[in-house]
Amino acid sequence: MKKSLLAVAAIGAFASAAQAQSSVTVYGILDVGYIGSNAKEGTGGVNKIQKSAFGQSAEQTSRLGFKGTEDLGGGSSAFFTVELGLTPQNPNLSGGSAGDGLQQTTNGAGSAIDNRQSFVGLKKNGIGQFAFGRQYTPVFNTGAATSPGQYNNVVGDVVYNGSSSAYFSGATTASGNNNGLGFTNRASNALTAQSDRFAGFQVGGMYALNNQNQSQTTSAAGATTGGNTNWNGWGLNGNFTWQKLYVGVAYQSFKTQYTSFQDTTTGNYNFGGNSVTGGVRIDNNGVLANPNQTSDKQTLVGATYDFGILKAYAQWVGRKVQNDTSLSVAQLTAGGSTATSAVAAGEQLNRNAQQIGVRSYITPTIESWASIGTGKIKSTVGTASANFVGWQLGSNYYVSKRTNLYAIYGQTQTSSVSGNTGSGNGANQYAVGVRHTF
């Protein structure tokens, strides 16, 4: 009898403990449909590419997530999120190499699962929260709050530029897993902090640290090298809300360092696409630099105002990628480069863009948006620069609270600059599909 009572007590204790654990929520998005595009690439846009496919993630990147919280008492709680990217139209349901070609970093090429976010943290009501793991960056979060297209993956958004490689010859239709050209979306090995809102103000920050000492058997372009790899970054953000007005600003800076130079003559350092002919690369040799160390500084300012019948948006983004080391021709050729001129520290490739837009519910079930923006790409090696323009139209029809049909059209064009590889490129892209959230 005593043993039975002890067993019942033990079961009750375990049940109580289980109820005190995290309440876990499963959530996700599946976005599929038709995606088509027409593009011009190569110097002066001489190459024509047309694509047509039943694709995925045109309006929003498909994903599967798990998140939960645990009440620790006294206004404190623990929380976690694990979010995986999904590619429902591909043979592999998940996986990829979400990398940043400008920083020469990757999220593990060929990984079995695409890790969009994975973090755990603590929160104190009235103060704020902090978290460790792979997380969205301050610039990404500020841009998300002020994006008229809500970070869709159709061309035309000059700030986010989410699917810039979708219509070039070196890539298939967009999966939404890669970083945009305007800024770095996520940071691994990151510590973030965010305050609660006080008198309309909220502030936050990020520090990402991934310093390591490892043997580099190959450089970015295949030349045999060896040495250390160090990567780190930090960022700050703040926003202010007053009645129907929202204003946000964010800044972040990343550094990537190699003991031996990284040969970029194949076109890794370019703004405009991930193929050799697909980018705008404006300097003497068609590339930015052959760096030992690269710094990448990014700034975004955005605002929204809700007029009731529509919501107005405005954004500005700037990105400066800089070579921080000097290398002679002898050093470059010894490492396998084909460069014929020395590399000087301080060489930069700059991109900035500004965009305005509106978003409104025409009826309780029909939502539409429009945006237009301009920008410039400029290299400090030489005096050349290229201007670009983009615009986008889109609409949602909500058949239920969780399911909508959508249609999106976008277009972009880069000016032609004599002698600069990739200038004169342009594309239009269109998508119709269905998105379901759960």
Side-chain angles (χ1 to χ4, degrees):
M1 183 67 178
K2 291 182 178 180
K3 290 182 179 180
S4 299
L5 291 174
L6 288 173
V8 171
I11 292 172
F14 280 124
S16 299
Q19 290 176 358
Q21 295 300 312
S22 301
S23 58
V24 179
T25 301
V26 179
Y27 68 94
I29 299 170
L30 285 176
D31 183 328
V32 293
Y34 171 79
I35 303 174
S37 63
N38 298 279
K40 300 180 296 181
E41 68 176 19
T43 303
V46 296
N47 301 322
K48 306 295 190 296
I49 301 99
Q50 184 178 28
K51 292 190 176 184
S52 179
F54 289 119
Q56 59 203 356
S57 302
E59 181 170 32
Q60 201 169 9
T61 305
S62 298
R63 67 198 69 175
L64 173 65
F66 306 86
K67 60 183 177 181
T69 60
E70 180 185 8
D71 187 355
L72 302 178
S76 298
S77 60
F79 60 90
F80 78 92
T81 294
V82 176
E83 186 176 284
L84 315 175
L86 298 180
T87 53
Q89 292 292 89
N90 293 343
N92 298 324
L93 185 61
S94 185
S97 55
D100 193 318
L102 300 174
Q103 295 177 19
Q104 299 291 283
T105 60
T106 181
N107 182 36
S111 60
I113 296 177
D114 173 31
N115 180 14
R116 289 175 54 84
Q117 300 184 85
S118 295
F119 59 85
V120 63
L122 296 175
K123 179 179 180 180
K124 177 69 174 179
N125 294 338
I127 298 178
Q129 66 180 50
F130 70 89
F132 286 96
R134 177 166 170 81
Q135 302 170 72
Y136 288 128
T137 62
V139 167
F140 179 93
N141 288 327
T142 302
T146 57
S147 172
Q150 296 184 350
Y151 283 172
N152 66 70
N153 293 308
V154 173
V155 68
D157 186 331
V158 299
V159 171
Y160 179 54
N161 213 1
S163 66
S164 58
S165 64
Y167 43 82
F168 287 127
S169 59
T172 58
T173 54
S175 66
N177 293 331
N178 292 327
N179 286 341
L181 298 177
F183 47 83
T184 301
N185 293 355
R186 302 173 184 85
S188 300
N189 310 97
L191 165 64
T192 64
Q194 194 76 31
S195 74
D196 274 358
R197 190 170 297 279
F198 301 99
F201 289 93
Q202 186 179 41
V203 296
M206 175 201 73
Y207 183 61
L209 181 64
N210 188 27
N211 292 328
Q212 55 185 324
N213 187 346
Q214 65 181 24
S215 176
Q216 294 294 304
T217 57
T218 59
S219 70
T224 301
T225 63
N228 299 335
T229 301
N230 297 301
W231 178 87
N232 61 76
W234 63 274
L236 296 171
N237 66 281
N239 63 76
F240 173 69
T241 301
W242 180 69
Q243 296 183 0
K244 298 180 179 181
L245 174 67
Y246 173 91
V247 179
V249 60
Y251 173 85
Q252 57 197 33
S253 176
F254 300 93
K255 285 186 177 292
T256 308
Q257 184 175 4
Y258 296 85
T259 296
S260 298
F261 82 94
Q262 297 297 287
D263 186 0
T264 61
T265 54
T266 56
N268 288 316
Y269 282 78
N270 68 87
F271 287 111
N274 66 350
S275 65
V276 175
T277 57
V280 177
R281 302 183 296 280
I282 43 178
D283 58 24
N284 294 342
N285 296 316
V287 295
L288 171 63
N290 300 80
N292 276 67
Q293 180 170 301
T294 301
S295 59
D296 187 353
K297 300 176 181 179
Q298 308 163 19
T299 306
L300 188 142
V301 180
T304 67
Y305 189 86
D306 193 344
F307 289 94
I309 59 173
L310 61 82
K311 194 172 186 178
Y313 298 78
Q315 291 179 307
W316 179 88
V317 67
R319 185 171 190 176
K320 179 173 69 176
V321 182
Q322 177 176 295
N323 170 41
D324 292 335
T325 55
S326 297
L327 294 170
S328 66
V329 174
Q331 289 175 306
L332 294 170
T333 54
S337 173
T338 58
T340 58
S341 59
V343 170
E347 293 177 351
Q348 296 176 8
L349 188 60
N350 299 322
R351 181 187 188 274
N352 62 75
Q354 47 277 324
Q355 179 172 261
I356 57 174
V358 294
R359 196 174 185 101
S360 175
Y361 275 92
I362 300 173
T363 73
T365 59
I366 299 177
E367 180 189 30
S368 297
W369 72 90
S371 66
I372 185 169
T374 63
K376 175 180 284 189
I377 309 167
K378 181 175 176 59
S379 173
T380 60
V381 184
T383 58
S385 64
N387 299 314
F388 58 89
V389 62
W391 60 273
Q392 188 180 99
L393 296 173
S395 184
N396 289 320
Y397 173 63
Y398 289 91
V399 297
S400 72
K401 184 177 181 180
R402 294 193 175 113
T403 303
N404 69 280
L405 307 177
Y406 63 81
I408 311 173
Y409 178 85
Q411 187 170 312
T412 187
Q413 179 65 44
T414 303
S415 62
S416 294
V417 182
S418 177
N420 291 295
T421 304
S423 67
N425 291 355
N428 63 69
Q429 194 175 27
Y430 40 93
V432 291
V434 57
R435 176 185 61 172
H436 179 78
T437 62
F438 59 91

